[in-house]
């Protein structure tokens, strides 16, 4: 099958590399010219914890307008940019094309549903640490177990075929993937999880370990999670709270010694965060279903204000 | 009337200096021995750092005539009971302070708290009848750069509000005396005969709003106000606080507060980091969060009024101030 990866940054390149290894015909679409040129000329160097692979045969393009019709189009641009890139993807999307979002955050399938029927939409996410240290070199640092999950926005013959093909090809390429009957609980759980420890870590400027060791820090994360679980329940997902509550102590161990991604965005790189796709989306869905989300709303406002004012932020010197 | 200032740190020393400058018969009680000895020996070096039309002018006085003690027992041995005792400790230490001050407190003594924040009155009422109790707060920057020296930095406008918890012969007499001494001493103080809680709440709401939000965001007041998300945060705190104040018997309209009180703050001190920023960002010390947003959330819970913004901001500030040593900081 012909697959286009829209957005070939670190994660897009790694996902595409797994698919290439699994036997797919891949088009990488990204405006990062040096990366595209080098991959087209010399192929991709793909590093996993155990091996380094050299993968040739990628097609590359700066825009999807010239690549022709695809069987599967995978979106890996930042979720906030989906609306901006969709018009340029339409030439690659035919009547049988399935569009897949593996982007972070909540509600990506709803954005896609504005452009094509739900029966041709898949969505999900990967749990892989990724890096792009230089053009045409990408690094995968996967967790153990299943590292990619996706499912259909609406079950159909097309979404089923595409889902099964992707599941097979990812697994064939060494990426343990699962085409889920119902992917929503996984997507919500990941987003709720992030909206708690990730966001509160950014606001409190604490690593996850000390944050969760602190009574107040732990209480805020619990409150944010509880709200998220209530919203998920209202959206028709099963009650996630019991399993999430159980996970809290393990989280403290797993993340103890580093700053999660949003804290890195705010504290180290001063770049835009994914707040609008995490806590912001929980607030939005909460409003839609009539579930109050004051904790998520407060955090959304705090981080949105922070990221709009990096230049003015007081820098402490101890 | 004999006045005791119990707790003579920066604010206590400044308030006492205004009173002494106005002719009050005043004793200081504080465990800070070097400060007490220096003031007893040389008097208080009192600096008023006055701003007029953008220019600073220092008024410097050396005020004699303070009697100082490091404990209430020592004070009682020399002075007996006092007529008025003003508490200027940290809010968290108030109950202990009143207990420790018992030797100088008689049945006719009037107790006064001018400590910032909410809930100090309830602690006073555990020891003083309401008709022997004054409440209030100062609107002054204060500092104590070294023993024997204190600095007042008035912001312009009203500098002190106080009044009886209820009106009575005892509270009226004490208020009258304090008003005269403060005013004669150069402090623009106001006796709010019937509505002191109105002024206390207004100050608390201003502090709970700009102090807390700016400290967490690490931004100046004007910068937060200019950001739509930041402005929503300000307004959210004001709305919760006004609802609680109203339920507690001090009617405050949030829209009115935003249009006037909050707008004045933004206009006048938009370019400043409020005091909690100084505590949290510059000095990494404990903040007043518990008597500001924390107390609003506590009252809200008691009264069945939703105060999630205040409650969570309190938790955020706690998580930060309990972990300064573990926080990310930029070199």
């Amino acid at each position: 099958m012909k697959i286009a990866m829209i957005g070939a940054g670190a994660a897009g390149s790694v996902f595409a590399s797994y698919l290439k290894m699994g036997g797919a015909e891949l088009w990488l679409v990204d405006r990062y010219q040096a990366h595209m040129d080098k991959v087209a000329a010399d192929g991709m160097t793909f590093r996993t914890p155990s091996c380094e692979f050299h993968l040739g045969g990628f097609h590359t393009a700066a825009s999807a307008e010239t690549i022709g019709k695809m069987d599967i189009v995978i979106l890996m641009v930042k979720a906030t940019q989906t609306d901006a890139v969709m018009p340029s993807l339409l030439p690659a999307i035919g009547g049988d094309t399935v569009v897949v979002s593996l982007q972070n955050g909540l509600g990506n399938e709803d954005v896609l549903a504005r452009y094509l029927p739900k029966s041709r939409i898949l969505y999900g996410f990967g749990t892989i640490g990724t890096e792009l240290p230089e053009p045409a070199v990408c690094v995968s640092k996967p967790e153990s177990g299943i590292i990619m999950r996706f499912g259909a926005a609406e079950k159909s013959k097309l979404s089923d075929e595409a889902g099964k093909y992707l599941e097979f090809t990812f697994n064939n390429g060494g990426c343990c993937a699962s085409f889920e009957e119902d992917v929503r609980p996984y997507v919500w759980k990941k987003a709720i999880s992030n909206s708690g420890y990730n966001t509160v870590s950014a606001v409190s400027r604490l690593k996850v370990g000390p944050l969760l060791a602190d009574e107040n820090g732990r209480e805020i994360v619990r409150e944010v999670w509880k709200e998220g679980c209530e919203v998920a329940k209202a959206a028709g997902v099963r009650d996630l709270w019991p399993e999430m509550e159980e996970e809290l102590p393990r989280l403290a161990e797993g993340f103890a010694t580093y700053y999660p991604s949003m804290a890195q965005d705010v504290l180290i790189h001063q770049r835009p965060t994914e707040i609008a796709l995490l806590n912001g989306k929980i607030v939005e869905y909460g409003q839609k279903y009539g579930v109050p989300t004051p904790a998520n709303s407060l955090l959304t406002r705090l981080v949105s204000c922070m990221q709009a004012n990096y230049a003015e932020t007081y820098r402490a010197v101890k | 009337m004999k006045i005791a200032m119990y707790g003579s740190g920066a604010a206590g020393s400044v308030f006492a200096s205004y009173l002494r400058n106005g002719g009050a018969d005043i004793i200081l009680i504080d465990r800070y021995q070097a400060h007490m000895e220096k003031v007893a020996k040389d008097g208080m070096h009192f600096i008023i750092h006055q701003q007029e039309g953008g220019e600073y002018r220092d008024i410097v006085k050396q005020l004699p005539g303070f009697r100082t003690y490091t404990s209430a027992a020592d004070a009682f041995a020399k002075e007996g009971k006092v007529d008025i005792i003003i508490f200027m400790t940290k809010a968290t230490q108030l109950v202990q302070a009143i207990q420790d001050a018992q030797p100088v407190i008689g049945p006719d003594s009037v107790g006064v708290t001018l400590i910032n924040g909410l809930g100090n009155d309830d602690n006073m009422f555990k020891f003083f009848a309401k008709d022997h109790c004054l409440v209030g707060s100062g609107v002054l920057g204060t500092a104590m750069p070294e023993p024997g020296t204190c600095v007042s930095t008035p912001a312009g406008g009203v500098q002190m509000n106080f009044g009886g918890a209820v009106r009575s012969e005892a509270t009226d007499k004490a208020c009258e005396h304090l008003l005269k001494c403060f005013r004669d001493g150069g402090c623009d103080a106001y006796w709010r005969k019937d509505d002191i809680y109105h002024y206390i709440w207004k100050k608390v709401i201003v502090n709970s709003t700009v102090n807390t939000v700016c400290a967490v965001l690490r931004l100046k007041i004007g910068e937060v106000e200019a950001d739509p998300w930041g402005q929503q945060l300000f307004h959210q705190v004001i709305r919760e606080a006004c609802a609680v104040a109203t339920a507690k018997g001090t009617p405050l309209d949030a829209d009115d507060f935003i249009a006037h009180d909050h707008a004045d703050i933004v206009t006048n001190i938009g370019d400043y980091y409020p005091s909690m920023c100084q505590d949290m960002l510059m000095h990494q010390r404990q903040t007043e969060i518990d008597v500001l947003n924390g107390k609003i959330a506590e009252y809200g819970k008691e009264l069945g009024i939703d105060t999630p913004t205040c409650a969570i901001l309190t938790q955020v500030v706690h998580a930060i101030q309990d972990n300064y040593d573990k926080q990310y900081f930029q070199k």
Side-chain angles (χ1 to χ4, degrees), chain A residues 203-207 210-211 214 216-217 219-220 223 227 259 267-268 270 294-306 308-309 312-318, chain B residues 213 216-220 223-224 227 229-233 236 273 277 281-282 284 308-309 312-316 318-320 322-331:
Chain A
V203 169
S204 64
R205 309 167 78 88
L206 293 170
K207 291 174 182 170
L211 172 69
D214 183 271
N216 286 288
E219 223 12 77
I220 307 167
E223 197 54 39
E227 287 180 6
Y259 290 102
L267 304 179
I268 300 165
Q270 280 94 49
N296 279 282
S297 170
L298 173 65
L299 290 173
T300 303
R301 287 169 173 159
L302 285 173
V303 176
S304 301
C305 186
M306 283 177 180
N309 291 279
E312 286 76 32
T313 307
Y314 179 84
R315 312 234 180 274
V317 180
K318 276 189 196 176
Chain B
V213 174
V216 172
L217 290 173
R218 310 168 81 87
L219 294 170
K220 292 176 183 171
E223 290 163 351
V224 176
D227 183 276
W229 297 97
Q231 197 187 60
Q232 286 174 24
L233 288 164
Q236 202 63 30
Y273 291 109
C277 286
L281 308 183
M282 296 158 203
Q284 281 85 47
T309 309
I312 300 162
L313 281 173
T314 303
Q315 290 176 320
V316 170
H318 266 286
I320 291 172
D322 294 346
N323 294 282
Y324 284 133
D325 57 324
K326 302 183 189 74
Q327 258 199 314
Y328 179 84
F329 74 100
Q330 214 149 23
K331 278 179 196 148

